[in-house]
Amino acid sequence: MQLVPTPDRVGHAAANAFDMLFRGGVADLRRTPAQIVDEAPKRVIYRYLPASDTAQHDLPVLLVPPLAAPSVCFDLRRDCSLAGHLLAQGHPTYLVEYGDIAFSDRDLGLEFWVRDVLPNAIRRVSEDAGGRPVQVVGWCLGGIMALLALAADGHLPVNSIATVASPFDFTEVRIAGPIRPLANVTNGFLGTAIYRALGGAPAPVVKRAFQLTSIDKYLTRPLATATHLHDREWLAQVEAVDKFMDQMHAYPGRTMGQLYHRFFRVNDLADGRLELVSGDGEIDLADVHVPVLAIAGSADVLAPQKAVHHVGSLLTGSPDVHLETAPGGHLGVLAGRSAARTTWPWIDQFFRENASTGRGRLRVVA
């Protein structure tokens, strides 16, 4: 550590401090231009607009965010945008967005997104892209929902799926360990009563829960900011993540109940089979018959590597399963400063290799 800062470092720190205090920040938060191509209840599909000199010759890509998290996860800031990167690689790039969740949406369960929203979004993207099959990128719950949607309907025009930070074995989510025994004492009644009374998990609660997963970083933020005041990139990333956190959405009541009881309490997803609605039929991940890439974050406490890579043992019908681990936490593995050197190139390579739906084998890269 340099005890006496250089004049250049002092100058950069002063300029950054001025911009933070008087110019609204240092991050370039302009979004990649996009236009709406389809709208339906809880489903708005955007097509990102490429630069005029960028040819869109590859298969289309649909970005699938999780519920509650804002879709800007894929377009966090300029020079740190997976959407912008995919456009530059020649992919017609689309985003499905769910909109705000109100108390009136409390009866919406995961089945609504798995059997309605995502299948129709995939079909609409394929139609808009001239009937070509779609490559899907899902982050966190978005990846889980995308795989469940394809397992439930094998006729969807999907070429391949990449999931990032999507856990499938919740016993490996250590942060939920203390919650599970307490919930089981009352058979989950306490948690059920709370989310039913609130109609779900309100946005402020979701935000605080997300922040608690990295509470150490929030407690040490003032010191870290002081020591990185000269580093504009570091400051820009922190600012962008803070803006992201401020845009959290709520979880609908029924969906929150399914996540709480089926995923966290009894780990119902770990065997790859899930019945979302009684009598509606069981969804089996073994029925996914397209190549799948699953990327875990090395520092992710919400979706640890073992929880993410567990999906490799469930996708017995997939011709090609890649398991990778990249630096970063839950958001960082998708949109951190190192993602452009790790996560994004892996997605690029995976899509190139499977552009014609080739066959392969299970590969694990730690």
Side-chain angles (χ1 to χ4, degrees), residues 82-97:
L82 177 57
H85 170 80
L86 290 168
L87 277 178
Q89 296 298 308
H91 293 282
T93 305
Y94 299 78
L95 169 74
V96 58
E97 197 170 69

Side-chain angles (χ1 to χ4, degrees), residues 34-48 62-65 67 71 74 93-101 112-113 116-118 120-122 124-125 249:
Q35 65 182 34
I36 294 175
V37 296
D38 187 61
E39 288 186 88
K42 302 305 170 191
R43 185 187 84 230
V44 179
I45 301 174
Y46 293 87
R47 184 202 305 125
Y48 289 102
L62 173 62
L63 303 176
V64 180
L67 300 173
S71 59
F74 295 111
T93 305
Y94 299 78
L95 169 74
V96 58
E97 197 170 69
Y98 316 122
D100 292 329
I101 299 297
F112 174 66
W113 280 272
D116 184 331
V117 172
L118 291 186
N120 283 309
I122 290 168
R124 185 66 185 89
V125 167
H249 302 296

Side-chain angles (χ1 to χ4, degrees), residues 72-264:
V72 296
C73 57
F74 295 111
D75 192 29
L76 197 63
R77 62 184 177 93
R78 290 297 171 99
D79 299 323
C80 199
S81 167
L82 177 57
H85 170 80
L86 290 168
L87 277 178
Q89 296 298 308
H91 293 282
T93 305
Y94 299 78
L95 169 74
V96 58
E97 197 170 69
Y98 316 122
D100 292 329
I101 299 297
F103 184 79
S104 58
D105 298 317
R106 61 190 179 278
D107 292 331
L108 294 178
L110 279 174
E111 65 278 359
F112 174 66
W113 280 272
V114 168
R115 294 190 179 274
D116 184 331
V117 172
L118 291 186
N120 283 309
I122 290 168
R123 294 188 188 98
R124 185 66 185 89
V125 167
S126 177
E127 291 170 5
D128 190 76
R132 287 180 290 174
V134 179
Q135 296 170 312
V136 178
V137 179
W139 176 52
C140 187
L141 182 60
I144 296 173
M145 295 192 302
L147 283 175
L148 289 173
L150 185 57
D153 184 354
H155 297 293
L156 290 175
V158 172
N159 177 269
S160 54
I161 294 181
T163 69
V164 181
S166 300
F168 287 84
D169 181 359
F170 283 78
T171 61
E172 298 293 344
V173 182
R174 293 183 297 276
I175 195 170
I179 300 174
R180 194 171 291 110
L182 293 174
N184 288 339
V185 169
T186 61
N187 199 31
F189 174 77
L190 181 59
T192 302
I194 293 173
Y195 71 71
R196 283 184 176 174
L198 297 175
V205 173
V206 174
K207 174 182 176 180
R208 297 306 177 197
F210 200 94
Q211 288 175 329
L212 283 173
T213 64
S214 55
I215 187 63
D216 55 327
K217 293 183 180 179
Y218 282 93
L219 292 176
T220 59
R221 172 71 63 78
L223 178 60
T225 301
T227 58
H228 288 84
L229 197 55
H230 65 288
D231 188 342
R232 198 173 185 86
E233 270 294 298
W234 188 93
L235 296 172
Q237 184 70 9
V238 169
E239 181 183 327
V241 171
D242 285 345
K243 295 290 185 182
F244 166 85
M245 297 295 296
D246 289 338
Q247 299 176 61
M248 285 289 182
H249 302 296
Y251 276 111
R254 176 170 169 77
T255 297
M256 187 64 205
Q258 290 169 319
L259 295 175
Y260 174 61
H261 288 288
R262 306 292 293 279
F263 289 12
F264 283 98

Side-chain angles (χ1 to χ4, degrees), residues 207-355:
K207 174 182 176 180
R208 297 306 177 197
F210 200 94
Q211 288 175 329
L212 283 173
T213 64
S214 55
I215 187 63
D216 55 327
K217 293 183 180 179
Y218 282 93
L219 292 176
T220 59
R221 172 71 63 78
L223 178 60
T225 301
T227 58
H228 288 84
L229 197 55
H230 65 288
D231 188 342
R232 198 173 185 86
E233 270 294 298
W234 188 93
L235 296 172
Q237 184 70 9
V238 169
E239 181 183 327
V241 171
D242 285 345
K243 295 290 185 182
F244 166 85
M245 297 295 296
D246 289 338
Q247 299 176 61
M248 285 289 182
H249 302 296
Y251 276 111
R254 176 170 169 77
T255 297
M256 187 64 205
Q258 290 169 319
L259 295 175
Y260 174 61
H261 288 288
R262 306 292 293 279
F263 289 12
F264 283 98
R265 283 193 58 231
V266 301
N267 200 28
D268 208 11
L269 193 60
D271 64 357
R273 297 186 296 274
L274 191 66
E275 186 178 48
L276 293 173
V277 179
S278 179
D280 194 34
E282 190 176 64
I283 300 174
D284 192 340
L285 291 180
D287 292 329
V288 171
H289 299 298
V290 302
V292 177
L293 165 67
I295 302 176
S298 60
D300 193 344
V301 297
L302 279 177
Q305 177 184 338
K306 288 184 178 180
V308 173
H309 287 177
H310 180 71
V311 75
S313 65
L314 309 177
L315 296 169
T316 54
S318 170
D320 195 355
V321 179
H322 298 233
L323 307 178
E324 305 277 7
T325 302
H330 198 58
L331 178 60
V333 67
L334 175 75
R337 291 185 295 164
S338 66
R341 301 188 303 273
T342 54
T343 300
W344 301 356
W346 284 336
I347 293 174
D348 294 340
Q349 180 180 352
F350 173 71
F351 283 163
R352 282 196 304 270
E353 290 177 349
N354 294 288

